[in-house]
Amino acid sequence: MENFSEFDLKGTAPQRNFSDIIGHAFNNYMKIIGWSILVTLLTFVVSILISSLTGPLVGYNALESQSEMEELMKDGSFADGSFVTRMFQIPGYLESMLLSGVLGLLMYPVYAGYVYAMHRANTGQTVSLSDFFIGFSQNALQYIVYGLIMGIAVMIGFMLCVLPVFFIIPFFFLGIPFILFENASGIDALKKSFSTGGSNYGTMLAVSFISIIITIAGIILCGIGILLTAPFFYAAMYSAYCAYIGVPREIQNPSH
């Protein structure tokens, strides 16, 4: 549980419109861009290391699987819709995906760290590496519960031809800030996020959509560019929270 104290530092909150929220997010993100890139890189490295260790345990060979996937694409499986089914027939693929999903949930609290770092930048405080891991020391289970629910919703969206994912994200967009700044449970955060997202759907859709596009652009333009673009999603998340809920009270990081 967080230890809340009265907030006396002055942070800014954007107006409740698309341009103000995105501009506010960009300004905050640029203040901590170095830290954000470093933490994203560390997260990727840890994920790759764990995947490389757990893959062999379930009989999954990444190189062989890549070759098989390329063959599936060449023989028309991708076009006739059988691609996904045949992918799951690759030895160890399904087990590896399940392990990756569990790993993703266990690492979900790190996303709260991005939001917290944006808050410290917005209120003129010094940002340190430990700020990005506040989610692991406070309410970690609630982030995992929330991440699980959101993950299931996104997976269903992908099964419905991907596009629906963009339309459901606004309802989940503010869950992490609600847990971080209001000590909400995963379920309560979901309810509050749904309420705020539904009441302001147009703006939330635009903000979350552009944030996702910026993240995807990092993959398309240069692959490694995602290190630069991925954290912006959480900057936009924080700015949207400030716009609709207000600049939050200060929370004490135990490591400080």
Side-chain angles (χ1 to χ4, degrees):
M1 299 290 285
E2 289 101 343
N3 176 25
F4 286 90
S5 63
E6 289 302 317
F7 184 57
D8 55 5
L9 296 174
K10 293 183 178 179
T12 60
Q15 296 296 312
R16 296 179 178 181
N17 60 67
F18 169 78
S19 60
D20 258 35
I21 293 173
I22 291 297
H24 186 266
F26 181 78
N27 289 335
N28 285 325
Y29 178 59
M30 291 306 295
K31 294 176 183 177
I32 61 167
I33 187 169
W35 280 118
S36 295
I37 292 174
L38 174 61
V39 172
T40 304
L41 178 61
L42 289 174
T43 302
F44 281 157
V45 170
V46 171
S47 298
I48 291 172
L49 287 175
I50 294 178
S51 295
S52 65
L53 292 174
T54 57
L57 295 177
V58 295
Y60 178 72
N61 186 303
L63 294 177
E64 291 181 5
S65 297
Q66 182 177 353
S67 298
E68 292 187 45
M69 289 181 191
E70 290 174 356
E71 288 299 320
L72 291 178
M73 296 186 72
K74 290 178 182 178
D75 68 12
S77 296
F78 188 80
D80 66 21
S82 64
F83 181 74
V84 174
T85 301
R86 293 181 64 180
M87 279 175 58
F88 282 118
Q89 294 174 352
I90 295 174
Y93 181 80
L94 177 59
E95 293 82 355
S96 178
M97 290 292 290
L98 290 174
L99 285 174
S100 295
V102 172
L103 172 62
L105 284 176
L106 293 178
M107 296 188 69
Y108 201 81
V110 77
Y111 303 137
Y114 288 110
V115 176
Y116 181 58
M118 300 300 168
H119 171 62
R120 290 184 66 83
N122 183 40
T123 53
Q125 300 178 75
T126 301
V127 176
S128 65
L129 183 61
S130 65
D131 292 326
F132 287 87
F133 300 100
I134 189 173
F136 292 102
S137 59
Q138 301 181 7
N139 289 326
L141 179 59
Q142 301 308 321
Y143 293 116
I144 292 173
V145 169
Y146 191 82
L148 176 61
I149 297 172
M150 181 175 177
I152 293 173
V154 169
M155 182 174 64
I156 293 174
F158 274 114
M159 292 172 64
L160 297 174
C161 297
V162 180
L163 189 59
V165 171
F166 293 99
F167 294 99
I168 64 175
I169 289 297
F171 294 107
F172 292 90
F173 199 50
L174 299 184
I176 290 176
F178 278 123
I179 297 174
L180 177 64
F181 298 120
E182 300 185 18
N183 237 352
S185 67
I187 300 301
D188 285 341
L190 179 65
K191 292 177 181 178
K192 291 182 177 183
S193 185
F194 256 72
S195 176
T196 306
S199 299
N200 307 279
Y201 188 76
T203 301
M204 296 295 282
L205 175 62
V207 171
S208 59
F209 178 78
I210 290 301
S211 301
I212 293 173
I213 293 301
I214 290 174
T215 299
I216 295 175
I219 302 175
I220 297 175
L221 295 178
C222 190
I224 197 172
I226 193 172
L227 295 176
L228 175 65
T229 59
F232 183 80
F233 185 83
Y234 302 99
M237 184 184 293
Y238 170 73
S239 294
Y241 180 88
C242 288
Y244 290 102
I245 309 301
V247 179
R249 294 181 300 171
E250 178 60 8
I251 59 177
Q252 298 299 315
N253 187 342
S255 64
H256 287 171

